[in-house]
Amino acid sequence: MSVPVVFLAFANDADAHLDLLKVESKEIMRALQDLDRKEHIKVHREESADLDEVFEALTTFKDRVAIFHYGGHADGTTLRLEGGAGHAGGLAGLLGGQDNLKLVFLNGCATRAQVDGLLGAGVKAVIATSVPIRDDKASEFGARFYQSLAAGRTIGQAFQQAESFLRAKYGDIVELGVVTRDLTPVDETPAPGDVVPWGLYVAGAHRDAVLSWKLPYYRPVGLPQDMLQYIGSSFTANRYIMLVLDEMAKYNPDIYAQMMEQRGGELVRKDSREYPELIIRNFPWPVGSQIRLLHHHDSPDQKRLLHLISTYVRAGHLLYLILLSDVWERRRRGEIQLQDGFELGQPLDAAAFRSFDFLARAIELIELFAAQGVATYMPEVERLLAEWREDGGRLRKAHEFLQTLQVQAASPPAADLEQLCLRAEQAVSVILRAVAFLARYRMLTVRSIMVKAPRFEPVEYELDMGPLNAADGSALNLYQDEAHRHKLSYANSHSIVLVRDEEQVEDCLNLSPFVIDKNTFVRVTRGETTNKDRLAHVFLLGYCEDDRLVYLSADHAVHIALGADADRIHTGMTQDDFTEGRNLLQAGSLDSFGLDAEFGLEPSRTDDSAKVFAVLEEQFASFRVDLQGTS
């Protein structure tokens, strides 16, 4: 299967060296490397491109090149390649002959004059510059464009994002009298202020198609047929759950690699008993934990049925909370509008939670993004929406069946349990396949951040953080090794974040106050820190009770968490509640069995210690104000 090629061509000049050209190359490659590694695209990079190498690459990848990017010195008629100039007319002919080329990005000075020739030769879209551009801003603009493109934005959206970033950072973009990517001396006449020199030029016939084009994040081919047959023959209970690996592999080809091993110089399948753990550890922990429970409860009885229902509820619940966080982010930035009467942010009560249709509400949020043309943090939800819109499709059927079971969960049917469990497993498999894109993401708990800025050295950050995908079992320990803790950027501290790439933690979605690590909020002095404090304990926002937000543990099935005090925490809890092991008891109220009265004491005492989760109440109140205009 051929994947689109992003061709990055860079060329420097010994006499007019561009110090930041390598930075641009590195940052663009960093933005695209995850898609390249997962074989959704192929990145071909020439650091010192000459005309022969450009010709060879365009010939080798004929009709596969989707984007041609040039970084270096340029003007209206040439690109300064290694060993000599490449003339615009000839380059336009070479690029115009690539049938599937979507975009030519000329990140050099004053390349606007080349646009008409490129469009006339058949190129569909060109990003070019109208005036000389500073080397540092050219590097930043290119990096931001490809970061946005790799994050699921369209060409049009990525261009706007990069432009907005530079406007926000610099205001007046054009500045002369500095190192630029021009081939000619800088004119002493200042250019007008507040001008963004980059322009996106699109051939009229291709306008809509090009502006809406995205880098692929999905491969139609998953596991080989012999692997699917191997899975089918290896499992009785959970065989339909195991089929989720096929869909996960379409978003993340690393899945298939994890199912194979080298043995005697030959690549062979691993023991199928290792496969369930692949699903568990590649889903975020709130979903992975439910699948782990299904492998412990594999007999067709009422316990298994309830765990199947719980897996369905938790998958929709997590997706809904992620999308709520995303909507809040976009609303804060003014990217998304809410119509009057759009109900969002109203906390549930306990009774409503038990029958709430999280998946359907998540779809409503995806529809909101789609209707306004706003990119979500997880662009893969577009496929979920398309499948949902299929009337009579299996996703809608599976949802209807499982939602009915969820409503009946308090008194599930007792007859034909074996057949009911089998059908429920099949339906849960459909749901998990629809949200298999979550395997592309990592959930991280970030406890704290320490800045490291040694003299004359680049700033680094040490993050007290750890993964919540259960890659190392159910303990969810924080990272101890420096390689994982030291980063060149940082994320939000005291929160759980969702990331595409753990090495780019600044590109994250903060899930607070919807998904939390309870242990992040425990205040202990350094001398009191124990191994237990290194563990994460994930809770999801559940419902509101007595004006307090109640969170449910992700470790157990939903029906168990709803009935177990240890699996529920609330925003009224204090530090003393933690210390003394109280979860849902009224803060400060301890039952002494009436013995205190014999000492003439009051039957309860007041707890004056600070509320541990006060910040979550504040964040949720802010969320409601932003989304509903209510307090």
Side-chain angles (χ1 to χ4, degrees):
M1 179 185 64
S2 296
V3 298
V5 174
V6 177
F7 181 9
L8 307 176
F10 298 93
N12 221 320
D13 191 308
D15 297 325
H17 188 75
L18 297 171
D19 293 335
L20 296 178
L21 197 62
K22 281 194 176 294
V23 173
E24 177 182 339
S25 172
K26 179 180 178 181
E27 288 301 310
I28 293 175
M29 190 66 204
R30 182 169 174 246
L32 299 175
Q33 65 185 1
D34 191 53
L35 289 174
D36 178 72
R37 182 179 63 80
K38 292 179 178 176
E39 300 175 9
H40 296 298
I41 64 172
K42 178 175 177 59
V43 180
H44 180 77
R45 180 169 57 161
E46 294 287 356
E47 293 279 26
S48 303
D50 60 27
L51 189 57
D52 288 339
E53 289 169 336
V54 171
F55 178 83
E56 181 181 352
L58 292 176
T59 302
T60 301
F61 300 117
K62 179 171 172 55
D63 298 335
R64 288 181 57 197
V65 177
I67 297 176
F68 174 78
H69 177 96
Y70 171 76
H73 285 299
D75 62 17
T77 59
T78 57
L79 303 180
R80 179 68 65 83
L81 297 169
E82 299 284 334
H87 296 280
L91 289 169
L94 288 173
L95 294 168
Q98 296 288 320
D99 288 347
N100 293 309
L101 185 67
K102 308 297 182 186
L103 175 69
V104 171
F105 189 155
L106 302 180
N107 207 18
C109 281
T111 53
R112 169 65 182 87
Q114 297 191 32
V115 170
D116 291 341
L118 287 162
L119 296 180
V123 174
K124 298 177 180 65
V126 182
I127 294 177
T129 56
S130 55
V131 294
I133 53 174
R134 281 177 46 164
D135 187 26
D136 57 343
K137 292 178 181 176
S139 176
E140 284 187 287
F141 185 85
R144 295 295 173 174
F145 174 81
Y146 286 101
Q147 287 168 7
S148 294
L149 207 61
R153 268 71 173 183
T154 65
I155 287 178
Q157 290 168 338
F159 181 82
Q160 290 176 351
Q161 289 277 318
E163 181 184 77
S164 297
F165 172 80
L166 259 67
R167 280 188 181 276
K169 185 172 182 179
Y170 296 109
D172 292 351
I173 303 297
V174 177
E175 299 178 48
L176 305 184
V178 296
V179 176
T180 68
R181 297 189 177 188
D182 198 2
L183 290 172
T184 57
V186 174
D187 193 317
E188 294 300 326
T189 304
D194 195 25
V195 173
V196 177
W198 290 271
L200 174 55
Y201 306 90
V202 184
H206 303 287
R207 180 178 179 82
D208 292 341
V210 169
L211 292 180
S212 61
W213 186 83
K214 299 179 179 182
L215 291 175
Y217 51 79
Y218 179 84
R219 292 156 31 110
V221 178
L223 299 179
Q225 188 61 37
D226 64 330
M227 179 63 81
L228 295 175
Q229 293 173 349
Y230 178 53
I231 291 173
S233 63
S234 301
F235 298 90
T236 303
N238 297 309
R239 65 155 50 170
Y240 295 101
I241 300 297
M242 297 306 302
L243 280 178
V244 176
L245 284 168
D246 180 46
E247 196 69 17
M248 294 171 81
K250 295 175 183 179
Y251 292 102
N252 185 353
D254 291 345
I255 299 292
Y256 179 63
Q258 295 171 39
M259 300 173 74
M260 307 295 288
E261 65 180 350
Q262 289 284 343
R263 191 183 304 160
E266 183 180 2
L267 190 64
V268 298
R269 295 187 294 256
K270 289 182 179 179
D271 190 317
S272 61
R273 287 174 293 184
E274 298 184 36
Y275 292 172
E277 190 65 25
L278 293 181
I279 299 180
I280 294 166
R281 75 184 187 198
N282 280 289
F283 267 125
W285 177 245
V287 177
S289 63
Q290 303 303 298
I291 299 171
R292 183 185 295 278
L293 292 171
L294 286 179
H295 286 277
H296 290 308
H297 298 275
D298 57 3
S299 298
D301 52 23
Q302 287 199 4
K303 284 186 177 180
R304 176 169 174 80
L305 182 62
L306 288 172
H307 280 84
L308 285 163
I309 297 170
S310 177
T311 304
Y312 157 71
V313 173
R314 189 55 57 79
H317 189 193
L318 178 63
L319 181 62
Y320 176 64
L321 294 179
I322 291 172
L323 288 164
L324 278 184
S325 293
D326 205 358
V327 169
W328 191 18
E329 289 275 347
R330 312 295 169 180
R331 178 72 167 167
R332 269 285 175 130
R333 297 202 291 261
E335 297 176 7
I336 202 164
Q337 303 298 318
L338 298 179
Q339 297 178 349
D340 292 340
F342 188 90
E343 295 183 5
L344 193 60
Q346 181 68 31
L348 303 172
D349 58 29
F353 178 89
R354 293 179 182 274
S355 59
F356 192 76
D357 194 338
F358 288 106
L359 183 58
R361 290 308 300 270
I363 296 293
E364 287 183 21
L365 297 182
I366 301 170
E367 292 271 18
L368 178 68
F369 279 100
Q372 299 187 32
V374 178
T376 65
Y377 185 77
M378 302 182 298
E380 299 87 352
V381 297
E382 293 176 0
R383 290 189 59 83
L384 171 61
L385 180 57
E387 189 175 356
W388 179 267
R389 287 173 171 173
E390 295 177 7
D391 289 334
R394 66 182 185 181
L395 178 58
R396 297 294 287 267
K397 290 179 179 178
H399 162 259
E400 182 179 353
F401 174 72
L402 290 168
Q403 187 61 30
T404 300
L405 287 181
Q406 178 187 346
V407 173
Q408 299 173 346
S411 55
D416 300 324
L417 269 175
E418 184 171 354
Q419 187 62 31
L420 191 57
C421 284
L422 178 61
R423 193 175 178 209
E425 181 190 331
Q426 293 168 340
V428 169
S429 176
V430 171
I431 300 299
L432 292 177
R433 288 168 68 88
V435 299
F437 57 82
L438 290 171
R440 281 197 63 206
Y441 297 86
R442 300 276 283 171
M443 279 177 60
L444 303 172
T445 180
V446 184
R447 299 284 179 84
S448 61
I449 301 170
M450 183 173 68
V451 179
K452 304 185 68 176
R455 191 174 184 181
F456 307 124
E457 296 293 332
V459 174
E460 290 187 354
Y461 304 89
E462 182 174 342
L463 276 64
D464 197 23
M465 62 184 289
L468 301 178
N469 290 62
D472 301 312
S474 60
L476 300 176
N477 285 288
L478 303 185
Y479 286 134
Q480 301 298 308
D481 59 296
E482 290 190 1
H484 279 96
R485 293 171 62 87
H486 285 194
K487 306 293 180 185
L488 298 178
S489 54
Y490 60 90
N492 304 94
S493 63
H494 292 284
S495 63
I496 288 178
V497 297
L498 193 71
V499 298
R500 300 180 181 92
D501 182 347
E502 196 175 314
E503 297 308 312
Q504 299 183 47
V505 292
E506 75 281 6
D507 176 28
C508 70
L509 180 64
N510 189 341
L511 300 183
S512 183
F514 308 106
V515 185
I516 66 167
D517 171 7
K518 184 193 78 171
N519 288 343
T520 292
F521 297 88
V522 181
R523 274 73 167 180
V524 293
T525 63
R526 185 174 295 275
E528 295 173 340
T529 301
T530 66
N531 288 333
K532 184 178 180 181
D533 300 318
R534 309 299 301 171
L535 305 181
H537 197 175
V538 181
F539 282 74
L540 279 67
L541 177 60
Y543 54 89
C544 184
E545 186 175 70
D546 297 330
D547 295 324
R548 303 176 303 188
L549 300 177
V550 178
Y551 290 77
L552 304 178
S553 171
D555 290 348
H556 300 133
V558 174
H559 64 280
I560 293 177
L562 283 168
D565 285 353
D567 282 338
R568 289 176 289 162
I569 57 176
H570 63 80
T571 52
M573 291 179 65
T574 66
Q575 182 65 39
D576 286 348
D577 289 331
F578 267 107
T579 304
E580 299 178 19
R582 301 192 300 272
N583 269 21
L584 291 181
L585 290 174
Q586 182 68 30
S589 175
L590 289 176
D591 186 358
S592 64
F593 303 100
L595 297 178
D596 283 344
E598 297 187 19
F599 298 106
L601 300 176
E602 295 293 329
S604 63
R605 59 180 175 78
T606 301
D607 183 354
D608 294 325
S609 62
K611 288 184 178 181
V612 177
F613 298 120
V615 66
L616 299 178
E617 287 186 329
E618 294 169 4
Q619 289 177 355
F620 191 76
S622 178
F623 159 73
R624 292 197 62 203
V625 169
D626 286 342
L627 268 67
Q628 292 188 307
T630 60
S631 59

